[in-house]
Amino acid sequence: LKYHQTNLNIHANHLEIPKKTVMSSSSSYMDTSTGAVEHCETMASLHPDLATQYNTISSLFSRKLWHQLTITILDFVSTPTSTLRLTASGGNSYLSLYDRVVLTCDKKLNQLTLSRIAAAVAASLLKDGNDYVAARATLENLLEKKARLGPAPTLYIESQLALLHLNHMEMSNEMDAKLLRSIKETLASGDAILQEMDAAQTDATVVHSSYYEASMTYRKAVGTPEAYYREALLFLNYTPNVAPKRRYQIATDVSLAALTGDGVFNFGEIVTHNILESLKGTENQWLLDLMTVFANGNVFEFRKITAAHAKDIEGQPALTSRAELVQEKITLLALVNMVFERPSAERTLDFQDVAERTGVELEKVEWVIMRALSLGLIKGSMDQVDETVTVSWVMPRVLDNSQLKALASRFADWAVKVSKTKDYMGEQNPVFS
C-alpha cells in the first residue's frame, strides 16, 4: 500500500507541472498587457494634451485591435514636432512607447508597418539628443527577426539603417570606408529584391522610396553626380510628399548634379518636377534659372546668368571643378534644341546658323556637330564642303509646357497640310459614272 501511495503522489506532482506552466504563461501575458496599459496611462497623465492619443492606444491594445493599433501608433510617431516628449525619467517618449507597447505585441502587427514605426523611433533618437547608438540598436535589433519580417520589411529596415549611418557620417564629418562598403553591398542586394517586387503591391511604394533615399544619399557621399541624379529622380518618383525642410536641399543637390553630371542631357525630367519650386525666391533662385536655360538650350541666357551670379557659382565647387563640361553641355543642348524646333522636313542646317545658335566660332561648329553625333544626341550626316549637317533623328526628351505648346502648333500645321493634300488628291481623281 505504501508503494502505491508513493506512486500516486509522484503522479500527482507530474499533473501539477503543466498547470503551473500555464499559469506562468498567462501571468506573463497579463504582466506585459498591464505594463503597456499602465505606460499609456502614465504618459496621458504626464502630458494631458496627448491624453486622447495615449488613451486610444491603450484602448486598442486592450481590445487586441492590432491593425488599428499599428496605424494609430505609426501616425503618432510620424509627427515628432507635436507628439515627441520626455518620459518621467527623462527618456525619449517614442522609444518608451516602442519598448513598452509595440514590442509586447510585435508578432501580431503588420511587419512593414512595424518596421516603419521602428524607423520613426530611430529617427527621433537621432534628432532628439543625437543618440546614434540607441537609434542604431533599435533598427539592428529588429533586423535580427528577418525570417519573421519577410523580404519587403527587411529591405525597408536595411535601407533605413544605411540612411542612418550615412546621415551620422555626414553630421560627424567622418567617412567610414568599411561602413560605406557594407552599405554598397546592402544596396546592391536590395536592388535585386526590388526587381522581384510587384509594383502593384501596397507596400511597394514605401519600400522603393526608402531604398532610393538611401541610394541617393550614398551617391551624394561617394559620387558620381550623374549617379546621384539618377537615384534622386527615382526617389522623387516614389516619394510624392517630401518634407519641406528637405525639399530645398534636394532641389539644390539635384540641380547641381544635373548641371555637372556626365551624360545628363534630358533636363525636362527634373524641370517639370515640382521639387524645383522650393528654389523660388531663395538665394539659389539662380540655380532654378540655370536649369530652365539648360532645358531650353539657351546659350546667351546662360552667359547672362553666370555673369550676374559669378560669386554664387564660385561658392559651388561642383560647378567650378566641372566648368568646361558645363559649358560644353549648354552648347550641345543649344544644337539639340535647334534641331528639335525645326520641322522634320527642314533639318538640314547651315554651319553659320549653328554657330549663331550655339554661340561658337564658325571653325568650331564641325567639332560641336561631331561631339553631338558621338554622344548619340543626334543622328545624321555632315557635308564639310557645303558646310551643312542633315539630321535624321534627335534625342527623345521630356518637354515643358512651352515646348508642348510649340509641338502642338506644329501638329496643327501638319494636320492642315494633310487636309489640303487630301482635298487636292480628291480633286485630281476622275469620277466614274
Side-chain angles (χ1 to χ4, degrees):
L1 289 174
K2 289 183 180 180
Y3 173 80
H4 288 292
Q5 185 177 4
T6 304
N7 272 340
L8 286 173
N9 288 336
I10 294 173
H11 185 54
N13 289 336
H14 278 290
L15 287 175
E16 290 175 0
I17 292 174
K19 186 176 181 182
K20 289 181 180 179
T21 303
V22 172
M23 287 179 64
S24 177
S25 175
S26 175
S27 175
S28 176
Y29 175 78
M30 291 299 295
D31 289 343
T32 56
S33 177
T34 303
V37 172
E38 286 179 352
H39 172 74
C40 290
E41 291 175 351
T42 300
M43 292 301 295
S45 176
L46 186 62
H47 302 287
D49 57 318
L50 298 179
T52 301
Q53 290 95 317
Y54 275 107
N55 289 336
T56 300
I57 293 172
S58 176
S59 174
L60 293 172
F61 184 94
S62 299
R63 291 183 289 161
K64 301 181 182 180
L65 299 177
W66 308 125
H67 174 71
Q68 294 89 330
L69 176 67
T70 327
I71 300 301
T72 300
I73 293 179
L74 177 61
D75 290 341
F76 184 78
V77 298
S78 298
T79 55
T81 54
S82 59
T83 59
L84 180 60
R85 305 293 173 83
L86 295 176
T87 62
S89 59
N92 181 296
S93 63
Y94 283 3
L95 180 61
S96 182
L97 178 68
Y98 181 74
D99 287 339
R100 300 288 299 278
V101 179
V102 177
L103 291 183
T104 61
C105 58
D106 58 346
K107 295 180 181 179
K108 301 177 177 65
L109 307 181
N110 176 281
Q111 296 301 289
L112 180 59
T113 310
L114 169 65
S115 301
R116 295 175 67 186
I117 293 171
V121 171
S124 73
L125 288 165
L126 196 61
K127 293 177 182 178
D128 180 37
N130 194 24
D131 196 344
Y132 168 69
V133 175
R136 178 176 179 172
T138 300
L139 299 179
E140 289 180 340
N141 289 342
L142 187 57
L143 271 180
E144 293 178 359
K145 305 169 184 177
K146 286 184 180 181
R148 191 189 76 202
L149 290 174
T154 297
L155 178 56
Y156 179 86
I157 286 295
E158 287 178 339
S159 300
Q160 289 295 312
L161 184 58
L163 188 62
L164 178 72
H165 291 320
L166 290 165
N167 288 335
H168 177 68
M169 283 189 280
E170 183 180 7
M171 292 170 62
S172 61
N173 200 27
E174 294 180 3
M175 291 293 116
D176 186 329
K178 184 178 180 181
L179 193 54
L180 286 173
R181 286 194 298 270
S182 175
I183 292 172
K184 182 180 180 180
E185 293 172 1
T186 298
L187 293 174
S189 60
D191 185 59
I193 296 175
L194 285 185
Q195 303 306 320
E196 297 176 359
M197 286 184 63
D198 184 357
Q201 291 179 3
T202 55
D203 55 5
T205 300
V206 173
V207 178
H208 277 77
S209 175
S210 178
Y211 172 83
Y212 286 120
E213 183 178 14
S215 183
M216 171 186 72
T217 308
Y218 171 76
R219 287 301 174 185
K220 181 180 177 180
V222 303
T224 57
E226 55 272 18
Y228 172 83
Y229 177 74
R230 181 178 62 251
E231 299 304 305
L233 279 182
L234 288 168
F235 168 69
L236 292 173
N237 286 339
Y238 285 102
T239 316
N241 300 314
V242 181
K245 289 184 179 180
R246 295 206 61 205
R247 288 177 63 84
Y248 175 77
Q249 187 60 54
I250 292 176
T252 300
D253 291 339
V254 79
S255 296
L256 291 172
L259 293 169
T260 61
D262 192 14
V264 178
F265 290 98
N266 199 338
F267 280 71
E269 289 181 281
I270 190 62
V271 169
T272 55
H273 198 286
N274 59 20
I275 191 72
L276 293 190
E277 292 179 5
S278 59
L279 296 177
K280 288 183 178 179
T282 68
E283 59 182 6
N284 283 341
Q285 168 77 43
W286 61 275
L287 262 179
L288 174 60
D289 298 336
L290 267 185
M291 293 292 287
T292 304
V293 163
F294 270 72
N296 295 323
N298 193 323
V299 173
F300 305 102
E301 283 299 315
F302 167 76
R303 290 175 180 173
K304 289 181 183 179
I305 294 172
T306 52
H309 296 277
K311 290 185 178 180
D312 293 321
I313 293 173
E314 288 176 4
Q316 294 290 348
L319 287 175
T320 55
S321 63
R322 296 198 171 198
E324 291 184 8
L325 183 147
V326 174
Q327 179 63 56
E328 177 186 299
K329 185 178 291 190
I330 188 62
T331 303
L332 293 171
L333 285 172
L335 174 60
V336 169
N337 276 270
M338 181 182 182
V339 174
F340 183 82
E341 291 167 4
R342 295 198 173 197
S344 57
E346 301 175 15
R347 288 185 173 174
T348 297
L349 313 177
D350 293 329
F351 279 18
Q352 184 62 46
D353 293 338
V354 174
E356 292 175 1
R357 179 63 182 265
T358 59
V360 301
E361 298 174 0
L362 185 60
E363 57 268 23
K364 293 183 179 180
V365 169
E366 184 177 332
W367 179 88
V368 172
I369 294 171
M370 292 294 292
R371 182 64 173 157
L373 288 167
S374 66
L375 291 172
L377 302 179
I378 60 173
K379 293 180 182 179
S381 57
M382 183 168 54
D383 189 330
Q384 295 168 301
V385 177
D386 292 340
E387 293 190 333
T388 61
V389 58
T390 301
V391 180
S392 58
W393 179 89
V394 64
M395 172 190 71
R397 50 199 305 215
V398 177
L399 306 179
D400 59 24
N401 290 335
S402 61
Q403 292 169 327
L404 284 172
K405 289 179 181 178
L407 185 61
S409 177
R410 284 164 54 186
F411 273 123
D413 293 340
W414 173 79
V416 171
K417 290 179 181 179
V418 170
S419 179
K420 288 181 178 179
T421 302
K422 175 187 174 184
D423 294 341
Y424 173 78
M425 295 298 293
E427 293 172 358
Q428 298 304 312
N429 288 333
V431 178
F432 297 97
S433 57

